[in-house]
């Protein structure tokens, strides 16, 4: 078995736990802070800051994170006082529903309008507020929205993509299409979901490319209005998709990847089999196996 160990800091610990939340499994080792199982690799995060990768793809996943010094490369200084494209995604951590990615073009002239609507990071807004202001943003702010429905998401995973490379492809395509419409940003910022090194590695596999420099910045949705706009539009898209899928399948589909998702998935399995989950859920999440176990115990 391939084994790779790197040492990370507390900030990276939180990044690891957020990125792999959907793959987390129980672990009784008192020294283990979190344990994840993803396809051909298991990842063990120790309280000490050691991160152990084991399995066929261990080296590939370890290289995504490198060492703290590698991940602390200085980012260019950004300012909101120029035309900017900002991107964000919603749905990555939810078992049910698709993955929505939005790129928005915002200029300083838009700032007063956005501030008047109370635009900020979608995580700080209620879903009711998001659904109220998203149509206003879509009408006023140039943007490119992409939604990868669960069934298509599962097909892409089967073709060899993973959760990170899918996001790289969607962010890149949203920016590319917005640039193709003739918008000329002075800066492009992506709410960081992986390291720049890893982003560029996956980007090399994409066909549609552009020469504009990009910056990946953590928590960018709370710093730049262009990213905040994208987070709100993407959240509204995700919620609408979740509602539509729920109506089609006859079950109220929860957001997230908790126990409620396991129970709803069990009920869908009982009624429709795997075909029902293929149309509504991201099958590589651990929730699929949990739902199958719940159904087995109920029989």
């Amino acid at each position: 078995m391939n084994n790779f160990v790197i040492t990370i800091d507390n900030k990276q610990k939180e990044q690891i736990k957020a990125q792999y939340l959907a793959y987390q499994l129980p672990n009784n080792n008192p020294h283990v802070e979190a344990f994840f199982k993803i396809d051909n690799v298991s990842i063990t995060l120790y309280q000490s800051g050691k991160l152990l990768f084991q399995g066929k793809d261990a080296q590939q996943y370890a290289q995504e994170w490198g060492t703290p010094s590698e991940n602390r490369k200085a980012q260019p200084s950004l300012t909101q006082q120029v035309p900017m494209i900002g991107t964000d995604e919603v749905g990555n951590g939810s078992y049910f529903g698709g993955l929505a990615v939005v790129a928005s073009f915002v200029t300083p002239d838009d700032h007063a309008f956005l501030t008047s609507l109370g635009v900020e990071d979608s995580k700080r807004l209620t879903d009711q507020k998001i659904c109220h202001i998203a149509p206003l943003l879509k009408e006023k702010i140039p943007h490119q929205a992409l939604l990868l429905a669960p069934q298509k998401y599962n097909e892409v995973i089967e073709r060899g993509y993973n959760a990170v490379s899918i996001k790289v492809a969607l962010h890149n395509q949203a920016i590319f299409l917005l640039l193709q419409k003739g918008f000329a940003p002075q800066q492009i910022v992506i709410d960081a979901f992986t390291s720049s090194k890893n982003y560029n590695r996956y980007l090399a596999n994409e066909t549609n490319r552009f020469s504009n420099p990009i910056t990946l910045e953590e928590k960018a949705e709370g710093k730049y209005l262009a990213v905040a706009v994208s987070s709100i539009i993407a959240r509204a898209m995700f919620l609408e998709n979740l509602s539509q899928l729920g109506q089609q399948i006859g079950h109220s589909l929860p957001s997230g990847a908790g126990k409620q998702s396991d129970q709803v998935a069990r009920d869908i399995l009982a009624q429709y089999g795997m075909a029902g989950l293929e149309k509504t859920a991201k099958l590589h999440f651990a929730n699929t196996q949990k739902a199958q176990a719940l159904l087995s115990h109920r029989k």
Side-chain angles (χ1 to χ4, degrees):
M1 176 182 289
N2 295 329
N3 295 289
F4 293 87
V5 178
I6 63 174
T7 302
I8 61 174
D9 57 19
N10 289 333
K11 186 175 183 180
Q12 288 176 298
K13 276 188 179 183
E14 296 308 311
Q15 291 174 337
I16 288 281
K17 289 189 284 188
Q19 179 155 323
Y20 299 134
L21 175 63
Y23 308 97
Q24 187 167 353
L25 296 174
N27 189 288
N28 295 324
N29 188 329
H31 302 292
V32 171
E33 188 166 330
F35 176 75
F36 313 92
K37 179 67 176 175
I38 312 170
D39 299 328
N40 295 316
V41 65
S42 62
I43 303 174
T44 307
L45 173 61
Y46 290 91
Q47 302 262 354
S48 64
K50 296 291 186 182
L51 192 61
L52 171 64
F53 298 84
Q54 297 175 294
K56 179 181 177 182
D57 296 333
Q59 184 175 12
Q60 173 187 336
Y61 277 85
Q63 288 175 341
E64 293 181 9
W65 295 96
T67 63
S69 60
E70 289 175 333
N71 283 335
R72 288 175 180 164
K73 294 178 182 178
Q75 296 283 3
S77 178
L78 297 181
T79 172
Q80 290 213 83
Q81 302 310 313
V82 298
M84 175 187 286
I85 285 179
T87 72
D88 202 0
E89 85 281 336
V90 174
N92 177 65
S94 179
Y95 179 58
F96 289 110
L99 178 60
V101 173
V102 176
S104 301
F105 178 72
V106 170
T107 72
D109 291 340
D110 298 315
H111 291 182
F113 166 72
L114 298 176
T115 303
S116 71
L117 289 180
V119 169
E120 56 181 316
D121 175 10
S122 66
K123 299 180 186 68
R124 301 174 186 170
L125 301 175
T126 65
D127 287 343
Q128 182 179 10
K129 174 75 170 179
I130 287 171
C131 293
H132 173 69
I133 65 177
L136 302 175
L137 296 176
K138 291 166 69 175
E139 181 180 352
K140 173 75 173 177
I141 303 298
H143 66 282
Q144 179 65 55
L146 301 174
L147 177 70
L148 192 64
Q151 189 158 15
K152 186 65 176 179
Y153 181 99
N154 294 323
E155 292 174 6
V156 172
I157 290 288
E158 285 292 321
R159 296 210 308 262
Y161 278 77
N162 59 42
V164 176
S165 60
I166 286 176
K167 287 192 285 186
V168 170
L170 290 175
H171 278 264
N172 177 72
Q173 182 69 358
I175 296 168
F176 175 82
L177 292 174
L178 196 51
L179 291 171
Q180 289 292 100
K181 294 177 181 178
F183 297 103
Q186 291 186 31
Q187 295 174 160
I188 299 176
V189 60
I190 297 172
D191 186 44
F193 52 85
T194 189
S195 67
S196 295
K197 177 182 177 181
N198 195 42
Y199 186 95
N200 290 327
R201 180 165 66 89
Y202 285 127
L203 186 62
N205 299 321
E206 298 304 311
T207 302
N208 292 333
R209 305 288 292 276
F210 49 86
S211 59
N212 308 62
I214 63 171
T215 298
L216 280 79
E217 184 164 341
E218 295 175 4
K219 300 182 179 179
E221 70 279 11
K223 303 174 185 177
Y224 308 103
L225 287 169
V227 181
V229 169
S230 292
S231 73
I232 291 169
I233 296 176
R235 177 68 179 173
M237 286 179 59
F238 168 76
L239 291 173
E240 182 179 7
N241 177 247
L242 198 65
S243 176
Q244 290 174 345
L245 290 171
Q247 292 173 11
Q248 293 170 9
I249 204 74
H251 291 268
S252 178
L253 303 180
S255 177
K259 291 183 178 180
Q260 187 181 4
S261 295
D262 300 338
Q263 295 164 354
V264 173
R266 173 201 61 195
D267 295 340
I268 292 175
L269 271 176
Q271 187 173 358
Y272 299 101
M274 283 300 297
L277 288 184
E278 287 173 1
K279 294 179 181 179
T280 57
K282 303 175 184 73
L283 295 182
H284 66 94
F285 277 40
N287 301 82
T288 301
Q289 288 72 40
K290 294 176 183 177
Q292 290 170 328
L294 287 173
L295 182 60
S296 177
H297 292 155
R298 194 169 70 175
K299 291 180 179 179

